[in-house]
Structure formats: structure tokens, C-alpha cells
Amino acid sequence: MEWTLEVIVIPVSDVDRARTFYADQCGFAVDHDTRIAKGVRILQLTPPGSTCSIVIGEGMPPAPGQTTMTPGAIQGLQLCVPDIEAAHDELLGRGVAVSAVQHVAPSGWAPGKGEAWNSFVFFTDPDGNGWVVQESPLPLSDRRRV
């Protein structure tokens, strides 16, 4: 059986503000912005080149057996890019408050690029949901063949 991660729910306090951030500032594609009923809205966005989307909404009850997440509760969402400096510059140019490029060193986080798989930038959305961008040595399509 194949299991694919398709959607991650991101808790936000303001759907319109989140749409502006993710679509305009981060460059995510708006897949749909649907009002299911009065007070119920589902917004799905996909990062460029990704096969997994994020969903932001309002008015939806939690799924059975789950609890409502507080806006800003999600941390460590990770995107991979082939060029960390280009990703940093693109985010910065779009108005995202993104960290400098960093890598993990023996003493902790250090400035600049590291070896393969060890170059990162970090940013948060307006509610504080935390994102990590990691440089990968190969695009996803090539990694799937290895």
C-alpha cells in the first residue's frame, strides 16, 4: 500500500491574512478557496513543486477524536529547495522575515551553508506557525529514483 502525505492543516486566526502571506509572500498556489456554508471556509494552498498542500480554514469542527489547534501551534514544517540562497533571497524579496542561512555545527547552529542536507533558513507565518527550509542536494523527482 502506498501512503502519501497530501494535506497539512495549519491553524490560523485570520484566513484572509494567512492567504495573503502564503499566496503573495511565500508564492504558494491557491488551489481553492471554498465557502462550504455560512461561516465555514476552506482554503487550500500548495508550495511550488510540492505534492503536499496546506489547508487553512474557519468554522470547521475538529475531526472526530481530535482537538482544535491553537493558531501558531505548528512548528517545524519543512520545505526542501535545491538552492538555499536563492530561496532565502526570494522569500526576503517577497517581504517574508526569513532568517539568514544557517547550518548545524558541533556547537549548535552556525552561520552560512553546511555540507549536503545541512543548510537551512527559518520563518514564521503571521500567527507564529514555524517553517524550516532545507537545501537538498537533489530535486524530489531525482530522489525518488534513488
Side-chain angles (χ1 to χ4, degrees):
M1 167 146 336
E2 190 173 286
W3 295 61
T4 60
L5 182 61
E6 303 268 339
V7 175
I8 298 171
V9 177
I10 308 294
V12 300
S13 60
D14 183 321
V15 175
D16 290 322
R17 180 178 70 172
R19 179 185 170 128
T20 297
F21 177 78
Y22 285 109
D24 298 343
Q25 292 185 263
C26 294
F28 289 19
V30 175
D31 301 324
H32 64 83
D33 189 348
T34 307
R35 296 185 190 277
I36 298 171
K38 184 176 175 131
V40 180
R41 180 178 177 192
I42 303 295
L43 169 63
Q44 181 172 319
L45 305 106
T46 303
S50 181
T51 59
C52 185
S53 301
I54 62 170
V55 166
I56 295 164
E58 61 187 14
M60 285 288 293
Q66 297 182 3
T67 59
T68 300
M69 291 186 284
T70 303
I74 301 294
Q75 300 297 313
L77 292 162
Q78 190 156 323
L79 300 167
C80 286
V81 296
D83 184 334
I84 197 71
E85 282 125 347
H88 172 270
D89 292 348
E90 181 175 331
L91 287 169
L92 200 59
R94 289 175 167 269
V96 175
V98 62
S99 75
V101 175
Q102 301 172 51
H103 69 280
V104 179
S107 60
W109 290 103
K113 287 181 68 166
E115 300 297 322
W117 293 105
N118 191 13
S119 297
F120 304 86
V121 296
F122 307 90
F123 68 92
T124 59
D125 73 9
D127 284 293
N129 293 299
W131 289 83
V132 177
V133 182
Q134 179 181 28
E135 183 175 86
S136 64
L138 296 169
L140 178 60
S141 57
D142 291 342
R143 285 182 283 165
R144 286 189 170 168
R145 288 183 250 168
V146 174

